[in-house]
Amino acid sequence: MSAEKMGTVEYIQHHLQNASVCSADNINATTGLCEGFWTFNMDTIIVSFLLGALMIFVSARLGKQLETGKPGGFQNFVESILDFVATNVRDAFPGHNPLIAPLALTIFIWVWLMNFMDLIPVDLVPWLYQLIIGDPHAHLKIVPTTDLNTSLAMAVTVFALILYYNIKIKGLGGFLKMFLFHPFGKFFIPVNVVMTFIEEISKPLSLALRLFGNLFAGELVFLLIALIGGTLAVGAAALFWAPLQILLDFGWLVFHLLVITLQAFIFMVLTIVYLGMAHDEGH
Amino acid sequence: MSINATLLIQIIAFVLLIWFVNKVLWGPLSKLMEDRQKKIADGLSAAEKGKHELELAEQRAKEVLKDAKSQAQNILGLAEKRGSEIVEDAKVKAAEEADRIKASAHAEIEQEVSRAREELRKEVAALVVSGAEKILNKEVDAAAHNNMLEALVKSI
């Protein structure tokens, strides 16, 4: 494994580096890494696209053989997820909007699938990838949600919807009024603007940073556990460290199973709640 | 780890995915689930209705049975009455017939008796005449004494 040839810091840094593509002008001469805005993290893009495609493929396959009378095992499973999402939407969302439920479902399943990539052993896929392309220093990060771009992309999209519905439901005047006279009345307009701005901007930020932070930290812990058996133990000492690594890995894996589900769920529920607030006339 | 153009691609992917999920998963499946809910509710209400109807039918059947029973009872009573009537009638007729037969037999006997008496009378008259002839040794003029003989015969 590549970890044995590197220092601990290098190992972790290497693992947290995306496989990026950019134009030649943007490559840093000393580090050889991409810089600037016009960089594409190909691993993030490809893995998230593949997972999205998987969702569509499985849905389309399932959609062709839907059974009204006696649904099979997989349909039951998907139906229970659907029901779960629908219940959450009903509970947290006032009124009716046909977009909210599919949006919540997409977030829940897609985020969960992307988070799930975290449970694949941290070195396995990068190692295979390096083996295939023949470059032992190639970068690969297979958890799209540990890339801030992914979580921020979803948060920004949700934020755009929040703004859209705020203006649609309350009207442009009502939206401006919310900025000017909320929460302290008309004598504190500058304060109100700042307060409301912070309140609104904190929504996408909290969505994006919570998911990113949790998954990034989770990935880091996996890397640290991987180091126990890797760089710390050489020779006979591995007999002691390897079982410990397996034990810790298993424990963190089980805990992480909860974390990835919880994070997907929180992202979904907060999206529903924020959009519900945007629909709330009296706010 | 920094924000870059990946963000734009991910936004597009996210929006497309929402659209697709709505089209291929949420739309058809939620419609199907709604349909099934409706179907189940319809089935349950139909079953409820059927149960109610069954109860009604049972009640109706009971009433019909009761009616039939009472009617049968009626018919039975009527038949019994009619039967006893017929028997009574037959008895009366038989008695009448017996009376008639008895009466005709009486009449016949009476007739027979009176005829026998007449015959006897005639024979007695003839006997008396012949006896008297013998006694008198003399021809009695039967015609001349007819009246007397007649009276005599009658007194026998």
Side-chain angles (χ1 to χ4, degrees):
Chain A
M1 246 180 257
S2 54
E4 280 148 29
K5 291 173 229 143
M6 287 190 261
T8 312
V9 176
E10 282 82 8
Y11 171 76
I12 291 178
Q13 272 180 350
H14 185 267
H15 264 282
L16 293 180
Q17 187 63 48
N18 282 104
S20 311
V21 169
C22 55
S23 69
D25 312 339
N26 287 339
I27 295 178
N28 188 309
T30 47
T31 57
L33 298 173
C34 283
E35 280 181 343
F37 182 75
W38 289 107
T39 302
F40 297 96
N41 296 340
M42 289 317 288
D43 43 7
T44 301
I45 293 170
I46 289 172
V47 172
S48 56
F49 270 45
L50 282 179
L51 292 173
L54 179 75
M55 281 170 70
I56 293 166
F57 176 71
V58 171
S59 309
R61 280 278 313 263
L62 182 69
K64 278 215 184 77
Q65 36 181 291
L66 285 180
E67 282 266 0
T68 321
K70 44 179 178 72
F74 185 67
Q75 193 185 330
N76 266 333
F77 173 68
V78 175
E79 276 184 17
S80 60
I81 294 178
L82 228 79
D83 208 42
F84 168 73
V85 174
T87 310
N88 272 298
V89 172
R90 261 200 305 278
D91 288 349
F93 189 78
H96 180 74
N97 186 338
L99 180 71
I100 304 302
L103 172 69
L105 183 70
T106 310
I107 288 172
F108 186 62
I109 301 179
W110 201 35
V111 170
W112 192 87
L113 283 175
M114 291 192 292
N115 288 353
F116 184 79
M117 294 298 108
D118 213 3
L119 300 188
I120 296 172
V122 281
D123 279 318
L124 181 64
V125 180
W127 177 65
L128 283 175
Y129 174 69
Q130 287 162 1
L131 217 65
I132 290 168
I133 70 163
D135 175 7
H137 294 293
H139 297 290
L140 188 68
K141 216 171 116 189
I142 60 158
V143 192
T145 37
T146 58
D147 187 343
L148 185 56
N149 289 304
T150 305
S151 54
L152 197 59
M154 289 188 291
V156 165
T157 311
V158 170
F159 186 60
L161 284 172
I162 291 173
L163 290 182
Y164 172 72
Y165 283 117
N166 258 324
I167 293 172
K168 192 185 169 196
I169 303 292
K170 295 171 184 140
L172 195 60
F175 185 57
L176 288 177
K177 223 189 271 173
M178 185 182 91
F179 262 88
L180 294 178
F181 305 129
H182 174 83
F184 293 129
K186 58 186 172 182
F187 299 114
F188 292 91
I189 287 176
V191 183
N192 287 343
V193 169
V194 173
M195 291 284 283
T196 312
F197 184 73
I198 292 173
E199 191 184 319
E200 289 302 307
I201 210 74
S202 70
K203 288 172 184 173
L205 282 183
S206 76
L207 278 178
L209 291 179
R210 181 181 294 106
L211 181 61
F212 165 71
N214 269 285
L215 270 293
F216 190 81
E219 178 85 341
L220 207 58
V221 173
F222 271 122
L223 288 170
L224 289 173
I225 293 171
L227 279 170
I228 292 174
T231 42
L232 291 185
V234 184
L239 287 177
F240 172 70
W241 290 112
L244 182 69
Q245 183 196 346
I246 290 169
L247 196 73
L248 285 174
D249 225 8
F250 178 72
W252 185 242
L253 196 104
V254 171
F255 179 65
H256 217 59
L257 204 57
L258 179 72
V259 171
I260 64 169
T261 311
L262 203 62
Q263 287 308 319
F265 176 68
I266 288 171
F267 203 110
M268 178 189 84
V269 169
L270 282 181
T271 300
I272 298 170
V273 169
Y274 289 159
L275 283 170
M277 279 162 72
H279 281 72
D280 195 2
E281 195 91 50
H283 187 60
Chain B
M1 207 168 105
S2 51
I3 296 170
N4 54 38
T6 313
L7 180 71
L8 303 177
I9 301 224
Q10 293 294 79
I11 289 175
I12 295 167
F14 184 51
V15 171
L16 278 179
L17 195 59
I18 296 169
W19 185 70
F20 267 112
V21 164
N22 186 29
K23 201 168 168 54
V24 299
L25 186 62
W26 182 270
L29 205 53
S30 64
K31 188 177 169 301
L32 174 129
M33 283 161 81
E34 254 167 47
D35 284 356
R36 185 190 301 148
Q37 258 172 11
K38 197 171 161 295
K39 206 169 149 191
I40 291 174
D42 284 356
L44 281 178
S45 76
E48 198 61 40
K49 222 173 92 185
K51 218 167 122 189
H52 187 65
E53 253 162 36
L54 184 72
E55 250 165 45
L56 279 183
E58 257 170 22
Q59 215 170 343
R60 228 175 12 239
K62 237 182 236 170
E63 260 164 37
V64 168
L65 208 65
K66 219 172 80 184
D67 252 23
K69 253 185 196 164
S70 76
Q71 222 160 3
Q73 207 70 45
N74 258 357
I75 289 170
L76 221 63
L78 227 62
E80 238 163 62
K81 210 172 118 203
R82 182 97 187 92
S84 65
E85 252 175 34
I86 287 169
V87 169
E88 210 59 44
D89 222 34
K91 263 188 198 163
V92 169
K93 266 193 188 146
E96 270 171 12
E97 185 74 11
D99 276 352
R100 209 164 43 83
I101 290 169
K102 226 159 73 183
S104 81
H106 255 295
E108 218 166 303
I109 289 166
E110 208 79 44
Q111 218 173 347
E112 210 61 41
V113 164
S114 68
R115 209 180 51 223
R117 192 177 281 159
E118 201 64 39
E119 217 135 292
L120 198 61
R121 201 180 283 155
K122 270 179 193 157
E123 281 199 16
V124 166
L127 210 64
V128 165
V129 171
S130 66
E133 263 172 10
K134 267 175 193 152
I135 292 165
L136 296 176
N137 234 355
K138 195 182 153 188
E139 188 102 15
V140 179
D141 185 5
H145 299 88
N146 204 28
N147 285 340
M148 192 192 54
L149 282 170
E150 208 65 34
L152 194 71
V153 166
K154 265 198 185 127
S155 67
I156 296 169

